[in-house]
Amino acid sequence: MKLLRVGSAGAERPALLDQSGTLRDLSGIVPDIDGALLSDGAALERVRAVAESGTLPELPALPGAEAGPESLRIGAPVARIGKIVCIGLNYHDHARETGAAVPGEPILFMKAPDTVVGPHDTVLVPRRSQKTDWEVELAVVIGRTARYLDSHEEALACVAGYAVANDVSEREFQIERGGQWDKGKNCETFNPLGPWLVTADEVPDPQALAMRLWVNGELRQNGTSADQIFPVAEVVRYLSQFMTLYPGDVINTGTPAGVAMGMDEPKPYLRDGDVVELEIEGLGSQRQVMKTA
């Protein structure tokens, strides 16, 4: 299933994109798409059954970055996210482009849930920023409490689904200002998520997904999740040794090569008015316009 949330910011309602591409209203079936729903197998089966019946009300306009003014805004596909855990340097080609050694264990940092915005919402370039960067990432959404997992099979059983994320980063704040990476990762609007949550049953192999990102129409990232140093199952298993993952938590699993930081000078960092478009195979696409904060 493709689950999403539509409407103005703070007033989104649950929806479903059916197999014909029609947007259907789920608000009469479930209150929202959040950890409570994703951990409730019976509720998800009710959603699946009513989706297959074709009886859900049709919403008035399909969502989309290029749609007209009557179209519904798409919000982040998961409400009330508990935490966002991110994996740094998790692609072989990204490590090479930045001159970094391949890590022996996953590099972890956190993003605050309030960085999350919809997939087509405006992204704010922080004041005094000179090095705002893009990162297309495969986001993993947890659907079952995970602690001290022993195997990759257990880890994948805890995954509710997958989504597209843009792990927007300010590299000066992240690397040159001392302290933790978090200061370059938690600026306002720095985690567009969506357009929808694709349930895990529709993604048989999360290590076989093409990933692309364009800036102002120029292809910058063209990779695949097969290049991950630590695959999804290992990331979930590993994290569960250090923290408890709860339904509705999100994991950003790293980015392939092609970020501005890895390019020759002058590095083409993002500026006011730039347009970033990104997609992951089977998971949908995003489009954001940059605006000075």
Side-chain angles (χ1 to χ4, degrees), residues 148-290:
Y148 299 113
L149 301 175
D150 291 323
S151 69
H152 288 176
E153 291 74 20
E154 286 181 296
L156 290 177
C158 293
V159 174
Y162 302 91
V164 182
N166 186 358
D167 176 21
V168 187
S169 308
E170 212 299 341
R171 302 303 190 184
E172 179 190 1
F173 299 176
Q174 175 190 352
I175 298 168
E176 302 174 31
R177 299 294 297 272
Q180 300 293 317
W181 283 12
D182 293 28
K183 67 180 68 173
K185 295 287 190 172
N186 281 277
C187 305
E188 188 178 5
T189 72
F190 263 27
N191 206 108
L193 186 66
W196 37 72
L197 169 67
V198 179
T199 52
D201 59 294
E202 293 197 9
V203 185
D205 186 359
Q207 306 310 139
L209 302 175
M211 311 166 67
R212 301 179 185 86
L213 182 144
W214 296 260
V215 179
N216 299 327
E218 183 172 353
L219 183 63
R220 294 298 194 182
Q221 292 186 275
N222 186 11
T224 169
S225 58
D227 194 48
Q228 286 185 342
I229 297 166
F230 303 102
V232 167
E234 173 59 13
V235 165
V236 175
R237 187 208 66 80
Y238 181 88
L239 289 176
S240 78
Q241 311 306 308
F242 301 94
M243 64 187 76
T244 303
L245 300 172
Y246 294 101
D249 285 352
V250 174
I251 305 169
N252 288 348
T253 59
T255 197
V259 299
M261 180 175 64
M263 295 181 181
D264 295 334
E265 298 289 352
K267 301 180 189 296
Y269 289 113
L270 295 169
R271 297 287 184 266
D272 186 278
D274 285 344
V275 177
V276 177
E277 298 168 284
L278 54 151
E279 66 181 20
I280 297 179
E281 179 183 4
L283 303 185
S285 61
Q286 300 185 0
R287 181 182 187 274
Q288 296 113 30
V289 178
M290 303 296 117

